[in-house]
Amino acid sequence: MARIHFWMADTGGSGIYRGVLPGMSLQWLGHHVTWGIVLPPDWEQLDAVVGCRVAKASASQTWQKMRANGTRLIADFDDDYFHLDRANTEAYKLWSQPLLRRGLIDNITAAHTVTCCSEPLANVLRQHHDDVRVIENALPAQYLAEVRDYDPEVLSVGWAGTSSTVAELPMAARALRRIADYPRPGGVRVRIVGLEPQQAMKAGVQGKRCGALGWVKDFGHYLKAVAEFDVWVAPYRDIAFNRAKYPTKFLESSMLGIPLIASGIEPYRRVIRHGENGLLVPPGQEHLFGRYLKELADDPGLRKRIGMTARGEASGRILQAVNQQWEQALLAPERAAA
């Protein structure tokens, strides 16, 4: 069995989906796996390292040393750092630095294999490496067993994101404000997960029945928070950066059996069949967020049918379905064949 380390860039969603969870899945196959934002002190003994967006000077030097040491290197990406979103000003400023961009490209080139979460992102990365493999995000199968009430007294409509994705929220803000005041028996509450109240208000979501939970550091607590949604809204601008994303909100909502209303851009258009396992809002027709929210608010049977259909298809997105893909990418060809 191999000794593997996932060298995470952060401890947020990226670190969870591209470090902690795949690391767990490889442990189930018998490998000795660690993860974290710091390398083990005896990194020379590692068989393979998965490096998430390695680019800074000190990290790049270590990356090159590991390559010379004979460690198998896998460069992993879950975002397109070559088509950054200008609305995310801090990230755009950071990754537009020529030295950082050069380090990123050099480290991709030095890697034995490159992994990423989507085919559009793979097409970008193939400009810099010949062996790019798509390994999609996944969740433990246990979330498929969470019990849902599709006809609650108070309907909870939710959005989840971070300060780096807050630019997407205004697309659905009007619909969220209006659904919060919808005269449904029991009423509707809007829950914003991942933003502070001031951030949600600035994005246009405010009112007595609109609340913001703020940043949820623990991933398990995050999933518990979004599991309280009865309807999930996922607006996205149709830009290159978003088109390269993995449809993580569909992964999470489908595993939990929650009907999702998403923008009909590439990642979500690929996995959602409108009216069957979710609802799609075509780019430029954001008024439909409000229409679809009302339809779902009025019809518990529709909420259940869409949520259960999505959940029934979610078994293909569990960790047990992807761990062998990670194993094949991480092991040297001769070991993988054995």
Side-chain angles (χ1 to χ4, degrees), residues 1 5 15 93 122 130 161 195 207-208 230 268 276 302 311:
M1 293 292 105
H5 183 77
K93 181 179 178 181
D130 293 334
L195 298 179
K208 291 188 294 184
D230 298 303
Y268 290 90
E276 295 183 34
L302 180 63
R311 196 172 214 178

Side-chain angles (χ1 to χ4, degrees), residues 3-24:
R3 185 179 174 197
I4 300 161
H5 183 77
F6 283 80
W7 194 10
M8 296 153 43
D10 59 58
T11 56
S14 174
I16 296 295
Y17 276 114
R18 309 304 292 183
V20 177
L21 292 175
M24 287 172 47

Side-chain angles (χ1 to χ4, degrees), residues 9-324:
D10 59 58
T11 56
S14 174
I16 296 295
Y17 276 114
R18 309 304 292 183
V20 177
L21 292 175
M24 287 172 47
S25 74
L26 286 166
Q27 287 180 335
W28 300 339
L29 294 177
H31 298 289
H32 179 74
V33 188
T34 54
W35 50 78
I37 59 176
V38 177
L39 284 170
D42 59 342
W43 56 260
E44 295 92 342
Q45 305 304 315
L46 293 169
D47 296 300
V49 171
V50 181
C52 181
R53 60 179 187 269
V54 180
K56 293 184 178 180
S58 58
S60 296
Q61 291 175 4
T62 303
W63 187 256
Q64 299 295 334
K65 287 179 182 178
M66 287 191 290
R67 172 72 194 214
N69 183 60
T71 306
R72 183 165 173 80
L73 301 180
I74 293 83
D76 182 69
F77 294 84
D78 67 344
D79 274 321
D80 183 355
Y81 289 89
F82 297 93
H83 298 91
L84 289 165
D85 177 14
R86 289 178 178 268
N88 190 352
T89 53
E90 291 186 11
Y92 185 84
K93 181 179 178 181
L94 174 67
W95 290 98
S96 295
Q97 296 178 24
L99 288 178
L100 204 64
R101 180 65 62 88
R102 185 69 259 166
L104 190 70
I105 294 173
D106 288 345
N107 293 331
I108 291 173
T109 303
H112 295 86
T113 299
V114 177
T115 54
C116 66
C117 61
S118 74
E119 190 59 38
L121 181 52
N123 288 333
V124 174
L125 295 169
R126 286 181 182 120
Q127 299 176 36
H128 306 285
H129 203 286
D130 293 334
D131 183 12
V132 179
R133 310 184 191 187
V134 176
I135 305 178
E136 298 186 348
N137 293 347
L139 282 169
Q142 68 195 58
Y143 292 104
L144 291 170
E146 294 283 342
V147 178
R148 295 214 62 80
D149 177 7
Y150 284 100
D151 194 13
E153 180 179 355
V154 179
L155 190 75
S156 179
V157 175
W159 177 92
T162 66
S163 57
S164 65
T165 59
V166 67
E168 318 298 337
L169 182 54
M171 297 175 63
R174 184 171 183 269
L176 291 171
R177 290 196 309 270
R178 296 187 70 176
I179 200 64
D181 295 326
Y182 193 55
R184 171 190 177 274
V188 179
R189 64 179 178 181
V190 171
R191 296 172 57 84
I192 303 298
V193 173
L195 298 179
E196 299 299 328
Q198 298 86 345
Q199 293 175 300
M201 291 176 63
K202 187 176 180 180
V205 181
Q206 55 186 318
K208 291 188 294 184
R209 298 185 67 84
C210 298
L213 182 60
W215 172 247
V216 183
K217 184 177 180 181
D218 181 83
F219 187 68
H221 292 164
Y222 162 79
L223 286 177
K224 286 183 180 179
V226 297
E228 295 183 10
F229 296 171
D230 298 303
V231 179
W232 195 322
V233 174
Y236 286 96
R237 292 163 296 148
D238 191 10
I239 58 176
F241 183 80
N242 286 340
R243 289 193 292 271
K245 282 181 169 290
Y246 181 77
T248 301
K249 297 300 180 285
F250 181 69
L251 166 65
E252 294 168 350
S253 63
S254 65
M255 291 287 286
L256 296 168
I258 303 170
L260 179 73
I261 308 172
S263 294
I265 67 170
E266 153 55 30
Y268 290 90
R269 188 174 62 237
R270 178 168 50 85
V271 295
I272 293 178
R273 301 183 308 282
H274 181 73
E276 295 183 34
N277 63 350
L279 295 169
L280 289 172
V281 173
Q285 299 186 44
E286 281 69 35
H287 66 281
L288 291 176
F289 277 110
R291 179 187 298 180
Y292 296 153
L293 279 172
K294 289 180 181 179
E295 289 180 4
L296 289 171
D298 288 336
D299 192 341
L302 180 63
R303 295 196 297 271
K304 183 175 182 178
R305 178 171 61 79
I306 290 177
M308 291 299 289
T309 299
R311 196 172 214 178
E313 299 168 0
S315 60
R317 294 183 289 275
I318 61 175
L319 284 182
Q320 292 89 336
V322 302
N323 56 7
Q324 291 187 0

